[in-house]
Amino acid sequence: MRKSSYFVASAVLGVLPCAAPTAMGALTDSDSFDYTGTTLNGQNGGTGWNGGWFATGTLPSVQLSNDGASLSYPASFEPPATTPPSSGSRVSHGGLTVNASSSRLLADTFDMTVEGNTMYASALFQKNAANGGDVNSDNVLLEFVDSLGNRRFGLGIEGTGDRPWLNAGGSATGPDAVTAGETYFLVAKVVSSASGSDTAFLKVFGTDYASEVPVDEPSAWDATVSIVTGAVLDRVRIRIDPGNTSDLPGEVDDIRIGTDWASVAAVPEPSSLALLGLGGLACLRRRRA
C-alpha cells in the first residue's frame, strides 16, 4: 500500500474564495519505500527521480524491512495538515562489517554555482543503538553528492554525539542528542551562492526537539552551516554505518525533496490539489458571468 501525502483541504468548491493565484512549490522527488524484497538496489518506486536505486561503488546495498511497516512521525502537524499514516516499508538496516550505501539520481540536477537556488529535503530517521564500538563510523545519513561522489549537502543522525546532523561542505549538529530507538523527522534547506557561502538549515522534530510541524517554514532552525561548495548535485545516497554493531543500526523512511517547505513538510493530497484547481476554474467562470 502506498503512503499517502498529507493535507486536509480547507476549501470546498462551494465556498472556495476567488483569490488571486499564488505561487506553489513542487515536490520533485520522493520515496516511501513501498517495496517488496529486502534489497534496495534495483528498486524503482516513488515519484520523480532519474532511474532506480543502484550500488554506491562496491558498498553493499542498504536493506529494506519487507514487513509492510513504516516509521511513524514523532510529532503532530499544525492544522490544516494532518499526521501521515504509517504504511508501506522502510530502509531497515545496513551492513554489520562495512558501511552500506545505495544511491539514486535526482529528477533534476541542483546547481550550487548560481545565486539563490534553493532545495528542501526531509526524511524520517531512527538510530537504534547509542554510540557504538566505533564512534567515527556510526552514522545514519541522507547525502546529496555530485557525479564524482563528493558529498555537498546532507542530513541525518551522526554517531560521534548521536546528534541530528546537517552538512553543506562543512557540518553542524543539533543541540541535543537523539534517543536511541526513537524516530526523528528532519527537514533541511540549502540555498546556493554564486560568490559567497552556500547556507544550509536543519529543523528537527521528535523527543527533546519540536513537537509540532508547522504549516509555514519556521524562522528558527536547530542547526545552520555556511561554506562555499561550487558543486552540481545530481544524486542522493542513503548511508548506514555499522559502528554500533547493532543488527539494525539505523532506519530511514519517507524521503522527500522539493522547492519549498510545504512540498517536503506539508504535501497536499492530490485530491486537494484537484479541488483547488476546480475551484480556480469556478472563479474564472464567475468573473466571466
Side-chain angles (χ1 to χ4, degrees), residues 214-288:
V215 170
D216 298 320
E217 182 176 325
S219 58
W221 300 81
D222 295 303
T224 60
V225 63
S226 296
I227 196 167
V228 178
T229 58
V232 177
L233 309 182
D234 73 345
R235 66 195 66 191
V236 299
R237 64 188 181 206
I238 298 172
R239 171 182 156 191
I240 300 179
D241 297 349
N244 59 33
T245 66
S246 167
D247 287 342
L248 300 174
E251 305 183 50
V252 181
D253 204 356
D254 264 4
I255 294 174
R256 290 188 176 93
I257 301 163
T259 60
D260 66 354
W261 173 269
S263 63
V264 302
V267 186
E269 287 279 5
S271 57
S272 300
L273 290 176
L275 283 174
L276 292 174
L278 290 172
L281 290 174
C283 290
L284 289 174
R285 289 172 179 169
R286 287 182 194 173
R287 287 171 181 165
R288 290 173 181 171

Side-chain angles (χ1 to χ4, degrees), residues 54-73:
F54 58 91
T56 302
T58 60
L59 295 177
S61 172
V62 295
Q63 299 296 297
L64 297 165
S65 61
N66 196 32
D67 59 3
S70 69
L71 297 178
S72 297
Y73 282 78

Side-chain angles (χ1 to χ4, degrees), residues 114-133:
V114 301
E115 187 70 30
N117 265 1
T118 304
M119 178 169 63
Y120 292 75
S122 69
L124 294 169
F125 295 89
Q126 183 170 296
K127 192 169 184 291
N128 289 322
N131 227 329

